[in-house]
Amino acid sequence: MTGKERREQLLTIGRTLFAERGLDGTSVEEIASAAGVSKPVVYEHFGGKEGLYAVVVDREFEGLLGLVTEALTSARHYRGKLEKAALGLLEYIEENPDGFRILVRDSHGGTGTGSYASLLSEIAGEVEYILAREFDRHGYDDKFAPLYAQSLVGMVAVTGQWWLDVRKPRREDVAAHIVNLAWNGLSGLEPRPSLDPRRRRKEMERAEKRAEKIAAREEKAAARERRKVRKDEGAEQPG
């Protein structure tokens, strides 16, 4: 095994152990044993478990930040940006659960690496920039863009942490419901949110038809009530 291959092997093993036990719960002996090498080999490549941990965290940090940033900048429309970012985070969680578990733990003070909080701060900065432009375009006060950015990122991030363990419903449905709340608010929730705009359009058409039917029934009931009132008033008139 070449030095580069050995380094990658140690990173893979360390990533798994750190996800299960954290930095403090993992020893150099365990890493070396799992790799089938002696402790000095770990020290040679990383200077100790802290150095190995720092590289693992940095890789996960940069990978997830790049994924979400690309999602926010690639979609043309703002709903699409939010959809792609939410789905991207959930895809990362599903495909890299060990990496995400490492990120959601605050990074060890001695490593000098970023934490999940600092990752979210980086993402919120990207969202804030997008929102500030949109607020300005619509004549809103852009000084509140940071508040909205933190709220949106927090909504997705906390939901992602919860979904890491439950894994239900499927990630596309989770992303659709997150966007439903963020985009429409509680007062305008879509009954069956979807990331597919064609399905959303059909659902909106169905919802409009249901609303029309309800309005028609209510109008008929109101008309019957008016006729009843007129009839009762007529019966009370002296002959």
Side-chain angles (χ1 to χ4, degrees):
M1 185 178 289
T2 66
K4 182 177 180 180
E5 290 171 339
R6 178 67 71 191
R7 179 181 173 85
E8 289 302 317
Q9 179 205 28
L10 291 171
L11 285 168
T12 300
I13 290 171
R15 185 175 184 264
T16 301
L17 292 174
F18 292 141
E20 292 175 355
R21 308 172 192 179
L23 175 61
D24 293 332
T26 303
S27 68
V28 174
E29 288 87 349
E30 290 170 321
I31 297 169
S33 176
V37 299
S38 62
K39 288 168 51 179
V41 174
V42 179
Y43 289 113
E44 177 187 347
H45 283 279
F46 299 101
K49 68 174 184 178
E50 289 81 6
L52 174 56
Y53 187 77
V55 176
V56 169
V57 172
D58 282 345
R59 280 190 173 188
E60 300 301 328
F61 185 100
E62 293 300 327
L64 181 52
L65 178 61
L67 188 153
V68 175
T69 301
E70 192 277 334
L72 289 171
T73 54
S74 63
R76 287 187 58 193
H77 302 293
Y78 288 97
R79 178 163 183 155
K81 292 177 184 291
L82 185 56
E83 288 174 346
K84 290 189 70 173
L87 187 59
L89 174 61
L90 294 170
E91 286 177 352
Y92 176 86
I93 292 171
E94 188 169 61
E95 295 169 7
N96 303 277
D98 284 350
F100 189 73
R101 284 191 174 91
I102 292 170
L103 281 177
V104 296
R105 292 190 178 99
D106 280 339
S107 298
H108 196 274
T111 65
T113 56
S115 67
Y116 190 51
S118 59
L119 172 70
L120 298 183
S121 179
E122 292 268 6
I123 295 172
E126 295 286 340
V127 175
E128 179 185 333
Y129 174 70
I130 293 169
L131 288 179
R133 286 187 301 167
E134 186 68 3
F135 279 21
D136 185 63
R137 192 164 70 89
H138 286 85
Y140 301 153
D141 191 341
D142 61 7
K143 74 178 181 183
F144 292 108
L147 186 156
Y148 281 90
Q150 294 289 338
S151 300
L152 286 171
V153 172
M155 182 192 306
V156 178
V158 173
T159 304
Q161 287 180 257
W162 163 79
W163 188 74
L164 173 65
D165 295 319
V166 299
R167 297 298 181 91
K168 291 181 180 179
R170 65 193 185 99
R171 67 190 184 195
E172 289 81 6
D173 291 336
V174 175
H177 282 276
I178 290 173
V179 175
N180 189 22
L181 177 58
W183 191 259
N184 297 307
L186 287 173
S187 63
L189 287 179
E190 298 164 359
R192 295 182 180 84
S194 170
L195 299 180
D196 185 341
R198 289 172 297 181
R199 286 182 58 187
R200 274 204 309 273
R201 202 159 42 244
K202 289 180 180 178
E203 282 297 330
M204 288 178 63
E205 291 171 357
R206 280 194 283 265
E208 289 172 358
K209 289 179 181 178
R210 286 194 297 269
E212 290 172 0
K213 288 180 180 178
I214 291 172
R217 284 200 300 269
E218 290 176 347
E219 177 56 33
K220 287 182 181 179
R224 285 197 299 270
E225 184 62 24
R226 289 194 295 269
R227 288 196 296 271
K228 183 177 181 299
V229 170
R230 286 197 296 268
K231 182 178 179 181
D232 291 343
E233 288 176 347
E236 292 174 0
Q237 296 297 323

